[in-house]
Amino acid sequence: MKFHVEVRIKLKKGMLNPEASTIQRALALLGYSVEDTDTIDIITFTVDEDSLEAVEKEVEDMCQRLLCNPVIHDYEVSISEMEG
């Protein structure tokens, strides 16, 4: 079975986010009022596995080992089975 995976990664609360601060300042200079700007990395991919449980385990391992730094990042995983 094929599964579509989406991993959304953002910095934990309290971590400095210079990219978000720059975006917020630039928007203010353009006349937009924006509060609490945050940036999120979204990684999508497909996985071939026998079960949803196997995909969940594999994706969790990917996140812990490569996709993010658990010390400074929070992440959310969405998994859906692909038709066909």
Side-chain angles (χ1 to χ4, degrees):
M1 294 187 293
K2 284 192 182 256
F3 294 87
H4 174 77
V5 179
E6 179 180 282
V7 181
R8 301 170 68 93
I9 304 167
K10 68 178 185 173
L11 288 172
K12 290 185 177 195
K13 286 274 190 215
M15 298 301 298
L16 293 178
N17 190 340
E19 183 180 17
S21 298
T22 300
I23 292 168
Q24 188 171 354
R25 281 193 305 278
L27 289 171
L29 289 172
L30 294 171
Y32 298 104
S33 176
V34 178
E35 295 180 21
D36 291 333
T37 306
D38 201 1
T39 56
I40 297 175
D41 292 325
I42 300 173
I43 302 168
T44 61
F45 52 92
T46 57
V47 175
D48 237 350
E49 271 298 348
D50 295 330
S51 69
L52 176 62
E53 292 78 19
V55 174
E56 289 171 340
K57 183 178 179 188
E58 193 170 309
V59 171
E60 181 66 25
D61 188 49
M62 289 177 190
C63 289
Q64 294 289 323
R65 295 178 67 197
L66 178 67
L67 299 179
C68 67
N69 178 346
V71 174
I72 63 170
H73 294 119
D74 286 326
Y75 59 92
E76 285 180 23
V77 176
S78 299
I79 302 170
S80 56
E81 188 174 343
M82 298 174 69
E83 293 187 26

